[in-house]
Amino acid sequence: MKSLPLGKTGLMTSPIVFGGNVFGWTADESQSFRLLDQMAEAGLNTIDTADVYSRWADGNSGGESETVIGDWLAANPGKRDKVVLITKVGSDMGGPGEKGLSANWIEKAVENSLSRLKTDVIDLYLSHWPDDETSDEETLTAFDKLLKAGKVRAIGTSNRDRAQMERAAKAAADAGLPRYDVLQPEYNLHARGTFEGPLADYCIENDIGVITYFSLASGFLSGKYRSQDDAKGERARMVGKYLDDRGMRILAALDAIAADTGATQAEIAIAWLRHRPGVTAPIASATSGSQLDSLIKAATLALSDEAMATLNDTL
């Protein structure tokens, strides 16, 4: 499977980044191990997680995903050097001062993540959310120390618009600090407005790697959910916002291309992202072997110009 350069980080990513948000949540440890084995065997080398995954689940406190990944690495000596590990800092971990991007919290949070991941170095460390109470210079100074100490190999950010990216880049240049070389934005066939346009242009112009999250719109783009009755519990809340007229037009376009190609709607939606300007690799998760098989197919699926145009025009 062809690897792709992740901006200027020096890291190489597989065409799809495996989302680790499900580990320790909707996939227990044994199932997570099977999925990670399958991922590695297929040539997907990049795993995305965060310290907060999956604090939202009943009985969880955060760190569950990192712990599962760390235990898998410990059980598979030799795999660590073949995997690109991405994790994040900044979301609320529940304790006093355990959120945001202050230097003090980053210094503690990175040690927690390294311990859970059972590794000496994080390949790509992302600031999860902008923190208006902390200056970019303070955050980037903390990240610079981690880079120089060899605890992280590259840095990036998530959930920022162009103005916030430009502000952080200016702070880095003014203080002689490293910039964010990777952006993780929300982007999919339904949620296009926040990335396409000025932000995508900025990333292209500055050779910033882009790995997209919610790539399947919480599963909506799989075609499984076509009315509120198709989803239950938390899933109903997550997909509900996509069940509008535009969402139905997108599903109709995916259905037509699926009928022509034999690929699934999810595979087509992921392949569309892979071919969009500015995108390096989409993030997608799976809780079953068959779902992961589909992601593996999407990593090499080529869409015709006609199919891309059809999807591009479904606004």
Side-chain angles (χ1 to χ4, degrees):
M1 189 175 293
K2 182 180 179 182
S3 294
L4 305 166
L6 192 49
K8 292 184 176 181
T9 63
L11 301 172
M12 300 294 290
T13 180
S14 47
I16 289 177
V17 176
F18 193 26
N21 59 312
V22 298
F23 303 148
W25 176 32
T26 49
D28 62 18
E29 182 179 81
S30 60
Q31 178 64 1
S32 297
F33 277 27
R34 286 190 288 270
L35 292 168
L36 286 162
D37 288 340
Q38 183 180 347
M39 172 209 77
E41 184 176 345
L44 298 181
N45 75 319
T46 311
I47 306 170
D48 174 81
T49 187
D51 56 1
V52 76
Y53 297 166
S54 49
R55 186 170 177 260
W56 56 81
D58 288 343
N60 285 1
S61 57
E64 288 79 13
S65 174
E66 288 182 332
T67 298
V68 167
I69 295 167
D71 289 346
W72 176 74
L73 290 171
N76 291 273
K79 289 282 178 68
R80 176 63 188 94
D81 292 340
K82 299 176 182 178
V83 169
V84 176
L85 279 181
I86 304 170
T87 194
K88 312 178 195 73
V89 60
S91 290
D92 189 352
M93 293 294 286
E98 292 185 341
K99 66 176 181 178
L101 300 174
S102 69
N104 184 56
W105 173 232
I106 289 172
E107 182 180 351
K108 295 174 183 176
V110 74
E111 297 299 336
N112 294 341
S113 288
L114 287 167
S115 177
R116 288 188 291 258
L117 289 165
K118 293 181 171 61
T119 186
D120 295 328
V121 60
I122 294 162
D123 296 304
L124 177 60
Y125 202 36
L126 304 180
S127 62
H128 206 158
W129 299 93
D131 177 5
D132 293 335
E133 297 180 3
T134 304
S135 69
D136 289 314
E137 183 176 349
E138 177 180 342
T139 300
L140 292 169
T141 297
F143 280 161
D144 187 40
K145 289 180 180 178
L146 298 182
L147 289 163
K148 289 176 177 174
K151 294 182 179 182
V152 305
R153 290 195 170 101
I155 62 169
T157 190
S158 184
N159 298 300
R160 295 192 184 225
D161 59 25
R162 177 167 181 152
Q164 291 167 328
M165 291 295 291
E166 290 177 331
R167 186 189 70 194
K170 184 178 186 302
D174 289 347
L177 295 167
R179 70 168 196 175
Y180 293 127
D181 277 325
V182 175
L183 174 67
Q184 186 178 123
E186 179 180 357
Y187 185 42
N188 57 58
L189 266 166
H190 197 286
R192 294 174 60 173
T194 56
F195 179 68
E196 290 182 7
L199 184 55
D201 292 343
Y202 178 83
C203 292
I204 293 168
E205 292 161 6
N206 292 278
D207 195 13
I208 292 170
V210 174
I211 50 176
T212 62
Y213 76 88
F214 280 0
S215 301
L216 287 175
S218 300
F220 171 75
L221 295 173
S222 70
K224 288 170 57 178
Y225 309 104
R226 297 180 183 252
S227 73
Q228 203 68 51
D229 293 338
D230 293 331
K232 294 179 173 60
E234 178 68 9
R235 182 66 62 180
R237 183 192 66 79
M238 294 171 72
V239 303
K241 63 182 178 180
Y242 304 114
L243 294 169
D244 54 15
D245 289 343
R246 182 159 168 268
M248 296 303 104
R249 292 197 300 273
I250 291 169
L251 290 186
L254 289 171
D255 290 344
I257 296 168
D260 287 342
T261 63
T264 68
Q265 288 87 342
E267 291 162 9
I268 295 161
I270 291 291
W272 176 83
L273 276 172
R274 287 180 36 241
H275 291 90
R276 290 296 295 162
V279 174
T280 308
I283 302 166
S285 57
T287 57
S288 69
S290 60
Q291 289 177 354
L292 184 50
D293 278 337
S294 188
L295 295 185
I296 293 164
K297 292 176 183 176
T300 56
L301 177 63
L303 295 178
S304 68
D305 291 343
E306 181 181 2
M308 285 296 296
T310 297
L311 295 171
N312 290 344
D313 292 343
T314 308
L315 299 170

